Amino acid sequence: MIDLLVAGSGPAGAATAIRAALAGLSVAVVEPRSAPIDKACGEGIAHSAVAYLERLGVELSGREFHGIRYLDGRHSVDARFIAGPGLGVRRTTLHAALMSRLAALDIPVIHDRVGPITQNATSVTAAGTTARYLAAADGLHSPIRRQLDLSGGNSGEVRRGLRQHFAVSPWTDLVEVYWSRLGEAYVTPVADDLVGVAVLTSARGTFDSHLDAFPMLKRRLRGAVAASAVMGAGPLRQRVSARTSGRVLLVGDAAGYVDALTGEGIAVALRTSAELVDCIRADRPQDYEAAWRRVSWECRLLTASLLWARNRPLLAPRIVPAAAALPGVYRTIVNRLS
């Protein structure tokens, strides 16, 4: 019997497995898909998350970005990072780096589906493997979360994300966030000749039709060749009733998600994965819920507050003007999340 079985090899799952192995625990990963795995995401990794991955021994390559710019057609405001740059990294590049680190640590990757989970007072069994604990890092629509009846119900919110890459040199060293009535468009430099564009919206339509709502961005991309297929994800909001069920602990998007507005998904996943491993080492899974809430509350509060304002017709058009009028406050918030 091993100490920890991790379901999912994405950033949350791989980081959990790597940290557990470095802490001396025996660990294996279950992942049915072939690497590298792509996903519709903004691909901007905050400075704190980059530093954490480096401490885990994950070697990253990408394009540095030095802050966040908000634009709405009439206003533009920049917030540069104080602690250090973030890194734009293609999701496939990130996953390949994580898989390389798993291999270097001799962490087995079982190419199988988790399937039914059984557990007792001392162990949990899934995918034919028995472990003391199971970390469920199987994504936004976690089958394990559903199997254990930990989903918190439908919120009625239908925001989704669409992402595509364009072969063009980044025109700034910032991540740009374009705001419109339709939603937000995030532009992340991920290489010297490539940017990723992610659109978040509750409106239905194609990626190209959504771009019509961002004329400034569309002009920037004029003549640029699409370098990837469009990928989608959502609904983004995922309510979760609890992060633990017996010896199963949820981590990453599987543990609940507010929105991609602040781009903090990976950073929060890494912080909470560290807490998960600490709770397992102490053999105190009952402490994980409070630990998860403690290290994620600030991001959840800021994201929920911004999303609340975004969903108010009278407030939404004032978000970027307010940031431009109060640049010091805007910089403080951005740096709290970096």
Side-chain angles (χ1 to χ4, degrees):
M1 183 169 64
I2 62 173
D3 292 316
L4 176 64
L5 181 64
V6 179
S9 68
T16 301
I18 293 167
R19 183 177 175 92
L22 293 175
L25 301 180
S26 54
V27 58
V29 176
V30 180
E31 175 56 69
R33 296 167 294 177
S34 298
I37 299 169
D38 205 355
K39 177 185 175 182
C41 64
E43 300 183 324
I45 305 178
H47 173 76
S48 60
V50 172
Y52 183 86
L53 288 168
E54 289 176 345
R55 289 195 297 273
L56 292 183
V58 179
E59 298 181 2
L60 296 174
S61 61
R63 170 98 177 200
E64 288 186 351
F65 61 92
H66 295 266
I68 309 294
R69 172 179 291 156
Y70 275 12
L71 312 95
D72 71 354
R74 292 189 301 166
H75 306 85
S76 177
V77 55
D78 297 354
R80 290 194 168 266
F81 297 142
I82 296 171
L87 194 65
V89 183
R90 281 285 283 112
R91 183 66 176 220
T92 49
T93 302
L94 172 61
H95 192 245
L98 290 165
M99 295 301 289
S100 177
R101 185 58 174 146
L102 290 175
L105 292 171
D106 293 324
I107 298 173
V109 178
I110 303 166
H111 295 286
D112 198 359
R113 297 187 180 278
V114 170
I117 296 168
T118 59
Q119 56 177 315
N120 54 39
T122 58
S123 67
V124 56
T125 300
T129 301
T130 300
R132 291 173 54 235
Y133 293 99
L134 170 66
D138 54 341
L140 198 65
H141 304 292
S142 167
I144 293 175
R145 186 179 68 218
R146 292 198 302 271
Q147 183 180 159
L148 298 177
D149 198 25
L150 295 177
S151 295
N154 191 337
S155 68
E157 299 166 14
V158 293
R159 273 169 59 91
R160 295 178 172 86
L162 294 172
R163 188 214 64 200
Q164 189 169 32
H165 297 93
F166 293 88
V168 61
S169 296
W171 52 86
T172 176
D173 64 351
L174 307 173
V175 167
E176 291 189 327
V177 185
Y178 294 78
W179 294 71
S180 77
R181 290 185 178 181
L182 180 134
E184 308 84 49
Y186 291 69
V187 182
T188 305
V190 294
D192 292 341
D193 57 354
L194 193 70
V195 300
V197 179
V199 177
L200 304 181
T201 180
S202 58
R204 294 190 176 276
T206 65
F207 184 86
D208 288 339
S209 69
H210 289 336
L211 278 186
D212 290 337
F214 307 96
M216 289 177 59
L217 174 56
K218 196 166 183 178
R219 287 194 295 271
R220 284 283 191 186
L221 296 174
R222 186 175 295 147
V225 176
S228 69
V230 176
M231 296 192 71
L236 298 175
R237 185 69 167 101
Q238 298 295 320
R239 298 182 185 278
V240 176
S241 58
R243 256 53 57 173
T244 61
S245 176
R247 304 185 79 80
V248 181
L249 297 83
L250 308 184
V251 67
D253 294 351
Y257 198 76
V258 179
D259 197 86
L261 257 175
T262 56
E264 281 295 286
I266 289 179
V268 171
L270 296 178
R271 289 196 291 269
T272 53
S273 71
E275 297 296 332
L276 183 151
V277 172
D278 287 347
C279 289
I280 287 175
R281 291 180 65 197
D283 206 27
R284 292 188 59 83
Q286 65 270 25
D287 293 346
Y288 178 59
E289 179 75 29
W292 183 92
R293 291 180 179 277
R294 185 182 69 253
V295 300
S296 66
W297 76 268
E298 187 172 36
C299 176
R300 289 186 289 114
L301 176 61
L302 289 171
T303 303
S305 299
L306 187 57
L307 184 62
W308 180 87
R310 181 23 143 178
N311 289 333
R312 298 301 181 278
L314 293 178
L315 294 179
R318 293 173 169 80
I319 291 174
V320 180
L326 300 167
V329 174
Y330 173 59
R331 284 194 297 270
T332 298
I333 293 173
V334 166
N335 276 282
R336 289 292 298 179
L337 294 170
S338 66

